Amino acid sequence: MKELKRKRRIRTDRLLMLIGACILSLILVFGIVSKLFSILNPSILSKEFAKANMEVKLEDDKVDSNVYSKKDKDSGEKLIYAIHLPKLKSDEANQKMETFVNQILDEKAKVTHIDYESNQAFSQYKSYVIQATTYESVEDKEPLNPIKTEKLYINFDKDELITLEDCVREKVISQFAKKNEVSEDQIQLVKINESGVVMDVNGKEENLAYDKSSFVMNNENIPSLLKYEKIHVEKREIDPTKPMIAFTFDDGPSPGNTERILQALEKVGGRATFFQLGYLMEIYPETVRKVVESGSEVANHSYAHDWLTEKSLEDALADIQSVNDIAFSITGNEVKLVRPPYGAYNSAIKEGITEKVVMWDVDTRDWESKNTESIIKMTKQYSYDGAIVLFHDIHSATIPAVEELITYYDELGYQFVTVSELYEIKGK
Ligand code: ZN
């Protein structure tokens, strides 16, 4: 009995093996046939061209490969395509890729080859560089036009497209632009590596290694001064034909007072500029963030209200830089304006900084009178369309005066603008 059972088992095993082998060879034959079909169809495509994939691709990429030819309706010519594209999850990225591909297809070159390269850094960032090359014939080695590229960078944590501004501090980008004598939009992100980013500076590749003061990426492996999430401020339209006024508040942040001013401004859709002290920003970061979140502007009023003109130039510039870095670390936004304490500066300080130095047109002398009625009177008496008005949000008498003045000027049709907005409109 035992022997019989063993024999029967062997026969079953053999049968299974035979079936398995049949299935395997079927799959193999099917694979070869379909591969051959894709290469030979259209027959003019050389094997090399059909396989001309770019080498650098991520292993987990899903690739959409399309090799085909078609007759152009208008010219009757045969057009050949080899298109290899990644399948992406982000709608935004897919749309951008589609727009690029359609632009290339519209050119109706005789031979079009679209392919891509992909890279990954810290499992969070993926980059796809899509490249389109067109030829006069399949045998040609020289492309018809310069190779066109479209670059997509995706933050996979959020499934969002990212730009150079999401990686590198605005300040660093403008410094690069200045150094290379190009405009900021001629600098683009090429690649995100584990050691830094690669930028395209007007056709020239530049590496920028990760360092604390240059990057804004939200990744534990990338050093950054940024301690909070970057606040994105929407640019708004100002009507240049209507009157406007720039209220400015020095010596804060002053929790409670600063928020009351922001609330009053919010009621009329207004914005203002807050020239703050570095050491107070460090103590009250939440108030600093509220200013920027509301659309108002945080600017530099030195670290501790010292006379900058009494410091060495080196120390004065370091003082200003330290406040810029503090503001940046809290909001992710760059400071664009500096108002030196007591309005005291010299030409060496002015030349040593990239920020604009801002004085005032109207001094409400709130620091002297500390009287609400007097502050209102001074402001109404001296202010005009386009004026920069000086207040201090650390004085409690200033707050009700400002609340009343905001209503007053709003009813007169004034727009409350930041100093940067005012300068932009005035072309300063
Ligand atoms: Zn001051």
Side-chain angles (χ1 to χ4, degrees):
M1 278 297 273
K2 267 185 186 169
E3 262 191 24
L4 201 68
K5 263 190 183 170
R6 233 182 88 202
K7 264 188 184 172
R8 197 174 282 163
R9 197 179 304 141
I10 289 165
R11 274 184 200 146
T12 322
D13 290 352
R14 276 188 183 166
L15 194 67
L16 279 172
M17 268 171 71
L18 199 68
I19 293 169
C22 283
I23 293 171
L24 259 175
S25 31
L26 266 172
I27 291 171
L28 212 67
V29 168
F30 183 76
I32 290 167
V33 167
S34 57
K35 190 87 189 170
L36 269 177
F37 190 74
S38 75
I39 291 169
L40 297 175
N41 176 41
S43 58
I44 193 166
L45 285 177
S46 71
K47 208 172 165 187
E48 205 178 318
F49 179 67
K51 280 173 69 187
N53 276 310
M54 288 211 272
E55 293 302 317
V56 194
K57 283 190 174 61
L58 293 169
E59 263 180 39
D60 59 351
D61 272 357
K62 291 192 173 64
V63 189
D64 204 349
S65 281
N66 239 328
V67 179
Y68 64 100
S69 77
K70 74 169 191 196
K71 210 172 183 178
D72 181 42
K73 272 184 228 152
D74 304 327
S75 64
E77 273 185 283
K78 191 175 194 179
L79 308 180
I80 296 161
Y81 303 90
I83 302 175
H84 310 274
L85 290 169
K87 286 182 177 169
L88 304 172
K89 272 199 294 179
S90 155
D91 290 342
E92 213 186 347
N94 277 318
Q95 252 168 37
K96 207 175 168 196
M97 188 163 71
E98 206 174 294
T99 309
F100 173 73
V101 170
N102 286 338
Q103 264 169 15
I104 300 297
L105 296 185
D106 281 348
E107 288 175 20
K108 292 183 178 174
K110 284 196 182 137
V111 180
T112 303
H113 177 213
I114 302 177
D115 208 336
Y116 79 96
E117 230 183 75
S118 54
N119 278 282
Q120 178 174 316
F122 308 115
S123 78
Q124 183 184 359
Y125 303 106
K126 292 190 184 182
S127 55
Y128 294 88
V129 178
I130 297 158
Q131 203 170 76
T133 324
T134 52
Y135 300 90
E136 184 60 29
S137 81
V138 175
E139 282 72 33
D140 278 1
K141 292 265 187 314
E142 278 301 304
L144 262 182
N145 299 309
I147 295 167
K148 292 188 179 110
T149 51
E150 175 69 289
K151 300 169 188 108
L152 306 169
Y153 308 94
I154 299 170
N155 178 350
F156 267 67
D157 279 0
K158 292 184 175 173
D159 226 357
E160 277 174 359
L161 276 181
I162 46 175
T163 62
L164 186 61
E165 284 73 24
D166 296 312
C167 306
V168 179
R169 256 181 97 167
E170 244 178 281
K171 203 175 177 145
V172 175
I173 300 172
S174 54
Q175 279 164 357
F176 256 95
K178 215 171 169 183
K179 203 179 93 191
N180 292 280
E181 293 173 346
V182 296
S183 70
E184 283 176 32
D185 51 19
Q186 283 173 298
I187 306 181
Q188 275 162 5
L189 182 62
V190 177
K191 227 173 255 175
I192 301 169
N193 295 321
E194 307 235 327
S195 55
V197 299
V198 182
M199 300 184 296
D200 180 324
V201 183
N202 199 22
K204 201 174 79 199
E205 286 204 347
E206 292 259 11
N207 290 296
L208 190 62
Y210 292 129
D211 79 84
K212 212 176 161 195
S213 59
S214 305
F215 286 86
V216 289
M217 290 152 101
N218 212 338
N219 185 293
E220 53 175 11
N221 300 297
I222 303 170
S224 176
L225 285 175
L226 200 56
K227 291 184 190 136
Y228 301 79
E229 194 150 340
K230 180 178 173 168
I231 302 168
H232 290 275
V233 185
E234 296 256 332
K235 244 189 125 182
R236 60 174 188 161
E237 291 293 318
I238 315 265
D239 187 345
T241 64
K242 283 187 183 158
M244 61 192 77
I245 195 159
F247 278 14
T248 64
F249 301 92
D250 287 11
D251 298 357
S254 179
N257 287 351
T258 308
E259 281 89 345
R260 270 179 70 183
I261 293 168
L262 293 178
Q263 279 159 17
L265 284 166
E266 204 189 343
K267 279 184 200 153
V268 300
R271 294 179 180 183
T273 309
F274 296 78
F275 289 90
Q276 301 184 329
L277 299 174
Y279 88 95
L280 287 176
M281 289 182 184
E282 286 178 330
I283 302 174
Y284 307 115
E286 288 308 324
T287 307
V288 179
R289 281 183 71 80
K290 278 179 199 158
V291 172
V292 176
E293 277 163 358
S294 75
S296 281
E297 183 168 16
V298 164
N300 187 332
H301 194 44
S302 85
Y303 186 78
H305 217 277
D306 296 333
W307 288 84
L308 293 179
T309 44
E310 284 180 9
K311 290 176 187 265
S312 70
L313 177 63
E314 201 188 0
D315 287 351
L317 298 181
D319 185 308
I320 293 170
Q321 188 54 52
S322 75
V323 178
N324 291 344
D325 284 349
I326 292 165
F328 171 79
S329 75
I330 296 170
T331 69
N333 285 261
E334 301 290 355
V335 164
K336 298 192 169 71
L337 312 169
V338 174
R339 177 178 280 162
Y342 317 103
Y345 69 101
N346 52 41
S347 55
I349 293 175
K350 197 179 174 186
E351 275 161 32
I353 57 174
T354 48
E355 298 77 26
K356 289 179 182 130
V357 174
V358 180
M359 295 290 118
W360 54 87
D361 301 314
V362 180
D363 184 354
T364 63
R365 301 192 84 80
D366 59 340
W367 51 276
E368 193 180 54
S369 72
K370 296 197 177 98
N371 178 291
T372 303
E373 286 315 309
S374 162
I375 298 164
I376 293 170
K377 202 178 142 217
M378 289 286 277
T379 309
K380 287 183 183 174
Q381 193 173 343
Y382 294 107
S383 294
Y384 50 88
D385 178 14
I388 297 175
V389 188
L390 169 66
F391 301 94
H392 295 79
D393 52 341
I394 46 165
H395 301 307
S396 50
T398 300
I399 313 308
V402 168
E403 286 168 338
E404 193 176 318
L405 287 164
I406 287 174
T407 311
Y408 174 78
Y409 282 103
D410 178 56
E411 282 167 0
L412 288 178
Y414 274 74
Q415 304 167 94
F416 290 89
V417 296
T418 65
V419 173
S420 285
E421 286 173 333
L422 184 74
Y423 276 6
E424 209 184 313
I425 286 164
K426 305 257 151 140
K428 272 208 211 170

